[in-house]
Structures are given as structure tokens and as C-alpha cells.
Amino acid sequence: MPSSTQWQTLNGATAPSDDSSFTITAPTDTDIWRRSDTDDVFTAPILYRTLPSQKFKSLTVTIFAPWKTQYDQGGLILAFPNPSNPTPPENTKGLKWLKAGIEFFSNACVLGVVGTDRYSDWSISPMKAEFHQKATFRVVREGEGLWVYAKQEGGEGELGPVWVGVYAAKPKKDEGIGGEENGEKGLEVTFSDLELEVEE
């Protein structure tokens, strides 16, 4: 992982040290999702770097968490801010973005990819039950397109900037009686072996 001074944080994420493993804690009621112009949520804690999109080649990370509540999630994110004002948080509404990671859905972990332009389009794939808590994701730029790869355990013109990083979210409280032990503490998602490859 590159020096922590190169990474920025958003929505309460904490910059890691130079260690190969770090954690982002997602409080309850955080998400990255867009149903419409008026239902546009970008509140999940994020660790990211801003770089010219034509320099981005790939982003890979292995994620693990004790997923247990509907929509618990964590993974990679690429967001495309307005080139004239790429600095958050003022510029998160209306972002185009892609996220890929593990999400807890209908009492099971799934591999999920969400692409968002005007609204979010969610695709999921089941995970093997014996390896349901951990997976490695890789987003690769090929020309003007992006390919997303997931593995369980066992145009090149002048484009605007792209945020590339990782995120964690917890849209709902744990079921049961309220309190810190039931969702107020947040979901701790552990990331390891984060690698960013860029054009020189």
C-alpha cells in the first residue's frame, strides 16, 4: 500500500498507517446508493486517492468482515466527480460511481457490483457458503471501460479525475433491542493487500 499521506478520507473514515491491513468502521445509517435525484446517498466512510483517470490502471483489495445485518457491505469504489471541482464533500451529489464488494442480502453474503449514473443498478452473485466472509476484488481499466473481477477465498483522451479507494457501509441497525451491542458500534470491515497501479 502506498504511503498513507497519499490517501484522503471522507465521511468519518480514518487514514491508515503504512501497514498492509487496515479497518474502516461504518456507522449505522451509512450507504452509497441512488434511487433518484432526491434519494441520493453518499454517506459511507471512504478512503480514496484523486488521480487523473487516464492514469488509473487497476485497483485490487481483499475484504473481510463479520457480515450479519441486511445490506452490510464493503469493497472497492471508483467515483467520478466534476472535473472542475473534484474535492469532496461539496461535490458528492450526482457523482457517477462504481462499487464492487461483499454485501449481506437475504441472510447470505453475495458478491455485488453497483454502477451508478442517473440511478444505481445493482448486480449480485451468490458466494460459496464456506467462504462467505472474504473475497478479493479487482477493477481494471481497459480503454474507456472498466472490468470488475471477484475471487472468493480457497479511450485514452483527457478525462476528468477519478476517486479510487475502498468503503464500508451499514444502512440498517442490527435486529433486536437497540444499544451499542446491536448496531450502534458499527460494522468493522478489514481490508488487506490494497494495491493501486497507475500509469507513469
Side-chain angles (χ1 to χ4, degrees), residues 1-9 46-52 55-56 59 77-79 81 86 88 161-166 194-199:
M1 178 176 173
S3 169
S4 61
T5 59
Q6 298 176 344
W7 295 87
Q8 298 171 278
T9 61
I46 298 172
L47 173 72
Y48 72 99
R49 284 184 59 191
T50 300
L51 57 120
K55 289 188 173 289
F56 172 71
L59 181 66
I77 184 163
L78 281 77
V162 57
W163 300 344
V164 298
V166 295
L194 176 65
E195 295 179 17
L196 173 64
E197 185 179 4
V198 299
E199 296 281 358

Side-chain angles (χ1 to χ4, degrees), residues 50-185:
T50 300
L51 57 120
S53 55
Q54 66 269 21
K55 289 188 173 289
F56 172 71
K57 291 176 67 176
S58 69
L59 181 66
T60 306
V61 72
T62 299
I63 60 172
F64 167 84
W67 323 99
K68 61 181 180 178
T69 305
Q70 179 82 337
Y71 304 126
D72 278 0
Q73 61 191 270
L76 301 176
I77 184 163
L78 281 77
F80 302 88
N82 183 331
S84 65
N85 181 21
T87 305
E90 298 83 6
N91 198 29
T92 59
K93 290 295 181 185
L95 283 172
K96 295 179 181 180
W97 50 263
L98 173 119
K99 67 179 181 179
I102 296 175
E103 188 155 351
F104 195 74
F105 177 66
S106 295
N107 295 315
C109 290
V110 295
L111 303 173
V113 177
V114 180
T116 298
D117 188 343
R118 294 180 60 198
Y119 58 89
S120 295
D121 184 14
W122 185 32
S123 298
I124 60 174
S125 179
M127 296 182 71
K128 295 176 184 175
E130 63 270 32
F131 300 119
H132 69 280
Q133 292 184 311
K134 186 175 182 180
T136 299
F137 288 83
R138 182 174 175 86
V139 178
V140 179
R141 179 174 65 90
E142 293 190 14
E144 294 183 2
L146 294 171
W147 286 86
V148 178
Y149 300 90
K151 180 179 77 171
Q152 285 188 249
E153 189 75 358
E156 300 285 335
E158 283 297 316
L159 302 174
V162 57
W163 300 344
V164 298
V166 295
Y167 81 101
K170 186 174 180 61
K172 294 188 174 232
K173 292 183 179 179
D174 292 342
E175 294 182 8
I177 301 171
E180 184 172 312
E181 69 278 8
N182 285 297
E184 294 303 319
K185 179 182 175 187

